[in-house]
């Protein structure tokens, strides 16, 4: 019998981690990536001649899957840098630090009772190991109940407004439970956040995975757009590239669901059923500055006169020498119909950086050495309150087909660590199915 063959659509972290495990298991693997470079959302972009993360990316000390996969492909612990970072708030026109337990308890924008409620909320999330009851509870209802109406109005509502482009009514309580637990787990003894990065970004991991896949006989193709995934008798039969069918025993897609529209044969799409999720895109200005402007890694913006999600100075984690100066990311998460996804890049740059200058008046136009805009219309899935958990059936909806993506991450947050968790589940399921389905298909 010939070796089973799997075609993987997408050379992001998910596609490459999956391909690596499959090729190790003796399966013929082809990865198809439409871009000229691997990495997808976690890849780098050229900013004035120096590669930088297209979007800001950190690794947390607790990201065990990322760290052990990196070690396996030759990226040693010395390539990871972890540092304590500070978190700031921009509220009512003022910058304030909330970077330690002491600062939380003296935080000026909140009443003493609200500060205690906030600390109690974080402790409650840490102690609560099971989130099942939160899946059908709306985030707003939960927060109003646990933290009270005034904390909801002064803190949570504006923060959710900035993160979710004004639409947070359908979020489940699991969102903040998962977020608080992830960030609490990375705090040091003084409750300061510890964050890190792979020297060179996730791109280093992605490129190392591709190198290993090729060394083991797998194929990783760039500039290769998969036009469609055809089916015969309800079974996926391969991928169509440049008008030619490349047959595979199994096809794995890694895009979020909107990216599958028109790609999958109608009978395969039908097998997927209705999509329970909605999605967020992102518009992000990345700028290289001649000087640091923010003492904070990330800024929470509760002053809604500033319509940005956050301002992230990643050179508190990355060495500025590696980045050619201070690196500042100015993102706004947006619903997929937000006009910022289509407006001219020059306008976006000017507008977003003007908002930064309102918050940091010391930033002069001459301090901005280079700036550009990255955008993705579909970047993050949103699990809505009461929606069913992703299941084995949505991962393997039809014979010969796996539709994996970051939408299979729930209730965890979407990040590299969780994506590698999806890859593990996917590979286990594929190894079970590939051989037996191939035998059935050959017998038919
Ligand atoms: C603003 C932002 C900040 C983030 N920050 C962090 C962070 O700090 N830490 C962290 O761990 N994670 C972070 N993440 C999350 C992380 O980037 C993603 O979880 C991860 O990169 C998703 O990988 P993926 O392979 O699932 O998807 P993608 O990266 O989207 O990969 C999918 C790939 O498929 C390709 N493709 C699509 N259609 C086709 C086709 N028809 N043919 C061929 N190829 C195709 C695309 O070009 C793409 O390369 C962040 C994400 C965003 C948007």
């Amino acid at each position: 019998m010939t070796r089973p063959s799997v075609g993987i659509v997408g050379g992001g972290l998910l596609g490459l981690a999956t391909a690596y495990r499959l090729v190790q298991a003796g399966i013929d693997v082809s990865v198809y990536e439409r871009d000229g470079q691997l990495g997808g959302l976690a890849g780098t972009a050229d900013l004035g001649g120096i590669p930088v993360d297209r979007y800001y990316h950190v690794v947390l000390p607790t990201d065990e899957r990322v760290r052990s996969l990196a070690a396996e492909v030759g990226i040693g612990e010395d390539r990871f840098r972890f540092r304590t970072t500070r978190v700031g708030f921009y509220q009512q026109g003022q910058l304030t630090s909330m970077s330690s337990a002491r600062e939380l308890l003296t935080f000026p924008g909140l009443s003493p009772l609200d500060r205690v409620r906030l600390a109690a909320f974080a402790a409650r999330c840490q102690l609560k190991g099971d989130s099942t009851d939160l899946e059908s509870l709306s985030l707003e209802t939960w927060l109003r109940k646990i933290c009270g109406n005034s904390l909801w109005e002064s803190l949570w509502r504006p923060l959710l407004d900035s993160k979710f482009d004004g639409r947070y009514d359908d979020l489940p309580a699991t969102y903040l439970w998962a977020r608080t637990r992830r960030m609490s787990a990375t705090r040091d003894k003084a409750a300061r956040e510890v964050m890190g990065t792979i020297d060179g970004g996730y791109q280093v991991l992605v490129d190392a995975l591709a190198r290993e896949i090729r060394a083991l006989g797998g194929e990783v193709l760039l500039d290769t757009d998969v036009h469609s995934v055809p089916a015969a008798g309800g079974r996926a039969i391969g991928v169509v590239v440049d008008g030619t069918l490349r047959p595979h025993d199994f096809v794995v897609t890694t895009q979020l669901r909107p990216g599958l529209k028109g790609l999958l044969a109608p009978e395969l799409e039908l097998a997927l059923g209705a999509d329970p999720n909605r999605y967020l895109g992102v518009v992000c200005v990345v700028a290289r500055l001649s000087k640091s402007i923010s003492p904070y890694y990330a800024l929470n913006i509760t002053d809604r006169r500033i319509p940005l999600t956050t301002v992230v100075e990643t050179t508190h984690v990355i060495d500025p020498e590696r980045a050619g100066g201070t690196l500042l990311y100015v993102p706004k998460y947006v619903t997929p119909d937000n006009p910022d996804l289509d407006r001219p890049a020059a306008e976006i740059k000017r507008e977003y950086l003007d908002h930064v200058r309102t918050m940091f008046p010391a930033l002069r136009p001459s301090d901005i050495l280079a700036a550009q805009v990255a955008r993705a219309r579909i970047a993050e899935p949103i699990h809505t309150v009461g929606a069913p958990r992703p299941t084995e059936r949505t991962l393997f909806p039809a014979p010969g087909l796996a539709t994996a993506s970051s939408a299979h991450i729930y209730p965890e947050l979407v990040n590299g660590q969780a994506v590698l968790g999806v890859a593990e589940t996917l590979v286990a399921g594929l190894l079970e199915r590939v051989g037996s389905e191939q035998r059935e298909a050959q017998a038919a």
Side-chain angles (χ1 to χ4, degrees):
M1 196 168 71
T2 52
R3 279 160 37 122
S5 116
V6 175
I8 299 181
V9 187
L13 202 52
L14 178 55
L16 290 167
T18 303
Y20 175 53
R21 291 291 176 228
L22 293 179
V23 82
Q24 280 180 320
I27 289 174
D28 269 345
V29 173
S30 301
V31 179
Y32 301 93
E33 170 54 54
R34 64 152 63 120
D35 279 358
Q37 142 185 341
L38 298 167
L41 294 170
T44 56
D46 182 281
L47 180 65
I50 303 175
V52 301
D53 277 352
R54 179 173 293 121
Y55 302 102
Y56 48 101
H57 274 75
V58 285
V59 176
L60 301 189
T62 44
D63 289 349
E64 287 304 330
R65 293 188 193 108
V66 177
R67 294 174 77 175
S68 62
L69 180 62
E72 212 183 309
V73 295
I75 303 165
E77 277 290 308
D78 58 322
R79 299 288 300 276
F80 284 83
R81 290 147 194 270
F82 291 100
R83 293 176 188 171
T84 53
T85 54
R86 299 181 65 197
V87 183
F89 271 74
Y90 185 75
Q91 47 172 13
Q92 295 166 6
Q94 299 289 327
L95 286 166
T96 319
S97 178
M98 201 202 270
S99 310
S100 64
R102 197 173 60 79
E103 284 177 352
L104 168 63
L105 292 172
T106 54
F107 195 69
L110 305 177
S111 69
L113 177 61
D114 281 349
R115 290 179 207 147
V116 172
R117 281 179 157 156
L118 190 55
F121 173 74
R124 188 185 182 115
C125 291
Q126 269 169 284
L127 290 173
K128 187 171 173 50
D130 178 28
S131 69
T132 315
D133 58 322
L134 302 182
E135 291 175 21
S136 52
L137 183 62
S138 106
L139 181 55
E140 178 173 347
T141 307
W142 192 51
L143 286 174
R144 282 187 188 272
K145 183 167 164 228
I146 305 288
C147 299
N149 288 335
S150 75
L151 202 55
W152 164 258
E153 292 298 340
S154 59
L155 184 87
W156 295 123
R157 185 209 281 272
L159 284 181
L160 294 174
D161 188 58
S162 74
K163 165 71 183 119
F164 292 95
D165 201 7
R167 171 135 196 238
Y168 42 80
D169 58 311
D170 59 355
L171 298 179
T174 47
Y175 168 71
L176 260 184
W177 169 84
R179 190 181 169 81
T180 308
R181 284 173 70 81
R182 176 163 166 84
M183 295 322 293
S184 299
T186 190
R187 289 178 194 274
D188 67 8
K189 287 199 183 86
R192 290 171 308 187
E193 285 182 359
V194 179
M195 301 205 183
T197 182
I198 307 173
D199 188 13
Y202 263 113
Q203 187 74 53
V204 170
L205 175 57
V206 155
D207 290 342
L209 283 169
R211 197 174 54 237
E212 293 296 316
I213 294 163
R214 287 177 177 131
L216 291 167
E219 199 179 26
V220 180
L221 303 164
L222 298 176
D223 297 309
T224 307
D225 189 17
V226 170
H227 173 264
S228 57
V229 176
R235 178 184 186 88
I237 54 170
V239 300
V240 173
V241 171
D242 284 334
T244 305
L245 174 70
R246 294 183 53 124
H248 291 292
D249 298 306
F250 230 96
V251 176
V252 176
T253 60
T254 63
Q255 300 97 314
L256 287 165
R257 187 70 186 272
L260 300 182
K261 210 169 169 44
L263 184 87
L264 297 182
E267 57 201 287
L268 299 177
E269 213 184 324
L270 201 65
L272 267 173
D275 183 0
N277 300 326
R278 63 182 180 91
Y279 299 88
L280 275 183
V282 66
V283 178
C284 185
V285 173
V286 50
R288 178 175 295 115
L289 310 179
S290 58
K291 63 180 188 192
S292 168
I293 57 159
S294 169
Y296 310 112
Y297 172 79
L299 198 62
N300 292 304
I301 302 172
T302 56
D303 185 334
R304 297 313 294 135
R305 287 172 296 181
I306 304 289
L308 301 171
T309 300
T310 174
V311 172
V312 184
E313 194 173 302
T314 58
T315 29
H316 289 300
V317 176
I318 299 165
D319 285 330
E321 302 78 58
R322 291 282 311 204
T326 294
L327 269 190
L328 197 75
Y329 289 78
V330 190
K332 182 170 166 179
Y333 276 94
V334 292
T335 52
D337 57 354
N338 189 304
D340 283 10
L341 286 160
D342 301 301
R343 285 168 61 204
E347 259 181 40
I348 298 286
K349 256 193 286 189
R350 195 172 48 244
E351 193 176 296
Y352 284 28
L353 289 170
D354 278 353
H355 290 309
V356 174
R357 289 176 61 210
T358 303
M359 292 186 281
F360 299 95
L363 176 67
R364 291 177 314 236
S366 58
D367 298 322
I368 301 165
L369 307 177
Q372 64 196 30
V373 181
R375 298 185 248 215
R377 191 173 298 278
I378 304 292
E380 199 172 303
I382 296 190
H383 288 266
T384 51
V385 63
R389 277 190 180 214
T391 60
E392 178 97 347
R393 203 200 67 73
T394 51
L395 195 54
F396 296 101
L401 179 69
T403 50
S405 73
S406 54
H408 282 88
I409 300 166
Y410 184 74
E412 284 174 277
L413 298 185
V414 173
N415 48 57
Q417 165 77 2
V419 163
L420 295 184
V422 175
E424 279 172 16
T425 309
L426 171 65
V427 168
L430 280 168
L431 292 179
E432 251 175 46
R433 286 168 172 78
V434 164
S436 58
E437 287 198 10
Q438 184 200 24
R439 281 191 296 277
E440 278 166 27
Q442 281 177 356

